[in-house]
Amino acid sequence: MVRVEFLGPIGKAPIEVEAKSLKDVAKELQKDPELKKWLEECAVAVNDKLVNTLDIELKSGDKISLLPPVCGG
Amino acid sequence: MVRVEFLGPIGKAPIEVEAKSLKDVAKELQKDPELKKWLEECAVAVNDKLVNTLDIELKSGDKISLLPPVCGG
Amino acid sequence: MVELYTGDLEIEKICGKWYKWSLDKNFGAMVSFIGTVREEKGIEGLSFDVYEPILQEWFASWQKKAKERGAVIKMAHSIGNVAVHSSSFIAAVFSPKRRVALELIDEFVEDFKANAPIWKYDLKNGERIYARDRSQKISGSGILNSL
Amino acid sequence: MVELYTGDLEIEKICGKWYKWSLDKNFGAMVSFIGTVREEKGIEGLSFDVYEPILQEWFASWQKKAKERGAVIKMAHSIGNVAVHSSSFIAAVFSPKRRVALELIDEFVEDFKANAPIWKYDLKNGERIYARDRSQKISGSGILNSL
């Protein structure tokens, strides 16, 4: 099981997902119609490192974070 | 008579010069060998306005300032 | 490390602390950027969420870049509510050379706006409204939708 | 108007005063540049001569340029001796937009270095030595030698 966290304005509680890769996580999240618009706009971090590809293997306990568009300052 | 002031590191007391134009002032200052190196490096102001040409008529009481290379901050 | 504070920043205190710290380090130049909440569209203020783990890592990578140019960066940011005409952000670059300081503050602030994991909300009639239209996608966004 | 002070600048006081002044003016960004005397070549400090009439006019022309872009510039400088690890120069740009503030501070500081009528001396063994090698000719220099 990996943990998926939804940061900032997404306002959704963390979920646990059965996944062997980031691709599995993407498939799972795409099932939720409310997440549709966020998936298009979010960056993704695995264990707090931003990633640029879905070709990443995951192990149990990994943390996936979704980061929507930012505006600090 | 116009007044010529030597600013900053030139370290020379002001002088009064008989001059009808800035060209007259230049001719007068060129007679002083100690000013030679400064004339090459200095900008010139007439009544506290920087000027870019010697073709400027002067009247009695005008103030000419020599500004050597600067370094503020 | 980014300094994070709940509510608005005490700019004079933070800036004074950094300035004093810098004096015996032989930096010739300190350039600072302060962001203050503007009164517009009837907002009472702004509110901020910060994701600290990625923010600190992003900042550490900038500190490394600064060090390679002989400079140091400092930054503080607010978490939560900040009223109109109060400050939520300050960054400063310290460097022996003025060109490095002037160039780094510009690059740093622009990258901060584009990539620091901080989310902004307008405070209006007591509500917290995500400032989506002023927000930027972090580079690499959208991969979860790319299958 | 440029603020001129004898000896080193009380940066925290000046900066705090400007910051407080700015808060209700609805500027979103304040960018400041502070110049501090570096310890090098065994100097005790620096010393400055300022020609105020042309300095104020030069500054007024920059204030006009800033105003056209919705910004305000403030500046303070030392006259006379400033010890190593003390500050002699501070400038700040206030603007509703961050890009204007970041660009203006850079242009202003560079033009200040090239054209503000201020002369710098090293203080070494109690002597005041003109820093000719670090000084720049004001544009239009040399016309008195051009006949």
Side-chain angles (χ1 to χ4, degrees):
Chain A
M1 297 288 267
V2 300
R3 183 183 170 86
V4 184
E5 294 186 350
F6 304 92
L7 299 179
I10 308 179
K12 183 177 161 69
I15 58 172
E16 302 273 327
V17 171
E18 199 65 62
K20 284 183 176 161
S21 74
L22 201 53
K23 214 170 267 183
D24 294 345
V25 174
K27 282 178 191 155
E28 193 59 32
L29 296 178
Q30 285 175 11
K31 291 177 187 166
D32 182 343
E34 285 185 18
L35 280 177
K36 179 73 181 160
K37 67 164 184 176
W38 291 112
L39 297 188
E40 284 166 16
E41 299 198 325
C42 280
V44 183
V46 176
N47 299 326
D48 293 333
K49 303 268 178 200
L50 288 166
V51 298
N52 276 296
T53 170
L54 294 181
D55 293 328
I56 291 173
E57 290 188 21
L58 300 176
K59 58 184 192 307
S60 184
D62 280 347
K63 178 172 75 171
I64 316 301
S65 310
L66 270 67
L67 295 92
V70 295
C71 186
Chain B
M1 297 286 269
V2 300
R3 182 184 171 86
V4 184
E5 294 187 349
F6 304 91
L7 300 178
I10 308 179
K12 184 178 161 69
I15 59 173
E16 301 273 328
V17 171
E18 198 64 65
K20 284 183 176 163
S21 74
L22 201 52
K23 216 171 265 181
D24 294 344
V25 174
K27 282 179 192 156
E28 192 61 32
L29 296 179
Q30 285 174 11
K31 291 178 189 165
D32 182 344
E34 284 184 19
L35 279 177
K36 178 76 182 160
K37 67 166 184 176
W38 290 112
L39 297 188
E40 284 166 16
E41 300 198 322
C42 279
V44 182
V46 176
N47 299 327
D48 293 332
K49 303 270 179 199
L50 288 165
V51 298
N52 277 295
T53 170
L54 294 182
D55 294 328
I56 291 173
E57 290 188 23
L58 300 175
K59 59 183 191 305
S60 185
D62 279 347
K63 178 172 72 170
I64 316 300
S65 309
L66 270 66
L67 296 90
V70 295
C71 186
Chain C
M1 291 277 287
V2 176
E3 300 176 22
L4 294 169
Y5 298 89
T6 301
D8 62 287
L9 300 182
E10 294 185 68
I11 290 294
E12 289 175 72
K13 205 168 143 185
I14 295 168
C15 207
K17 181 181 70 177
W18 292 353
Y19 174 69
K20 279 200 211 80
W21 166 86
S22 76
L23 282 178
D24 67 353
K25 307 291 186 298
N26 223 26
F27 294 121
M30 169 180 175
V31 184
S32 63
F33 180 100
I34 297 169
T36 298
V37 179
R38 300 187 66 214
E39 188 170 15
E40 53 186 352
K41 301 175 295 173
I43 62 167
E44 290 120 37
L46 298 174
S47 190
F48 298 93
D49 286 342
V50 173
Y51 187 60
E52 192 168 355
I54 293 180
L55 178 66
Q56 295 294 4
E57 202 184 330
W58 168 85
F59 184 74
S61 77
W62 268 99
Q63 197 66 279
K64 194 165 161 263
K65 276 187 238 183
K67 199 179 172 185
E68 286 161 10
R69 291 156 82 173
V72 169
I73 306 183
K74 291 188 176 279
M75 171 185 154
H77 202 283
S78 295
I79 297 176
N81 295 3
V82 179
V84 155
H85 297 163
S86 309
S87 300
S88 53
F89 174 49
I90 176 167
V93 176
F94 304 84
S95 156
K97 305 270 180 198
R98 80 168 183 280
R99 284 302 326 149
V100 169
L102 286 164
E103 285 162 20
L104 256 179
I105 194 77
D106 193 326
E107 294 166 27
F108 177 78
V109 169
E110 290 304 318
D111 192 56
F112 166 78
K113 286 279 174 185
N115 288 305
I118 299 179
W119 296 278
K120 181 180 280 177
Y121 306 81
D122 288 330
L123 290 173
K124 217 167 171 175
N125 306 318
E127 257 191 297
R128 207 167 180 251
I129 305 152
Y130 175 43
R132 184 185 220 108
D133 55 331
R134 281 121 72 203
S135 299
Q136 296 186 52
K137 290 182 195 174
I138 294 176
S139 76
S141 288
I143 57 169
L144 288 174
N145 207 37
S146 65
L147 281 182
Chain D
M1 292 279 285
V2 176
E3 300 176 21
L4 294 169
Y5 298 89
T6 301
D8 62 287
L9 300 181
E10 294 185 70
I11 291 292
E12 290 176 71
K13 206 169 143 185
I14 296 168
C15 207
K17 181 182 70 177
W18 291 352
Y19 174 69
K20 280 200 210 83
W21 166 88
S22 76
L23 282 176
D24 67 353
K25 306 292 186 298
N26 223 26
F27 294 121
M30 168 180 175
V31 184
S32 63
F33 180 100
I34 297 169
T36 298
V37 179
R38 300 187 67 214
E39 189 171 12
E40 54 186 353
K41 301 175 292 170
I43 61 166
E44 290 121 36
L46 298 174
S47 191
F48 298 92
D49 287 341
V50 172
Y51 187 60
E52 192 167 354
I54 293 180
L55 178 66
Q56 296 294 4
E57 202 184 330
W58 169 86
F59 184 75
S61 77
W62 269 99
Q63 197 65 279
K64 194 166 161 262
K65 277 187 234 182
K67 199 179 172 186
E68 284 161 10
R69 291 155 84 172
V72 169
I73 305 183
K74 290 185 177 281
M75 171 185 155
H77 201 283
S78 295
I79 297 176
N81 294 3
V82 180
V84 155
H85 298 165
S86 308
S87 301
S88 53
F89 174 49
I90 178 168
V93 177
F94 304 83
S95 156
K97 305 271 180 196
R98 78 169 184 280
R99 285 301 327 147
V100 169
L102 287 164
E103 286 162 20
L104 256 180
I105 193 78
D106 193 324
E107 294 164 29
F108 177 78
V109 169
E110 291 304 319
D111 193 55
F112 166 78
K113 287 279 175 185
N115 288 306
I118 299 180
W119 297 277
K120 180 181 281 177
Y121 305 82
D122 288 330
L123 290 173
K124 217 167 170 174
N125 306 317
E127 257 191 296
R128 206 167 180 251
I129 306 152
Y130 175 44
R132 182 184 220 110
D133 55 331
R134 282 120 73 204
S135 299
Q136 297 186 52
K137 290 183 197 174
I138 294 175
S139 78
S141 288
I143 56 169
L144 288 175
N145 207 36
S146 66
L147 279 184

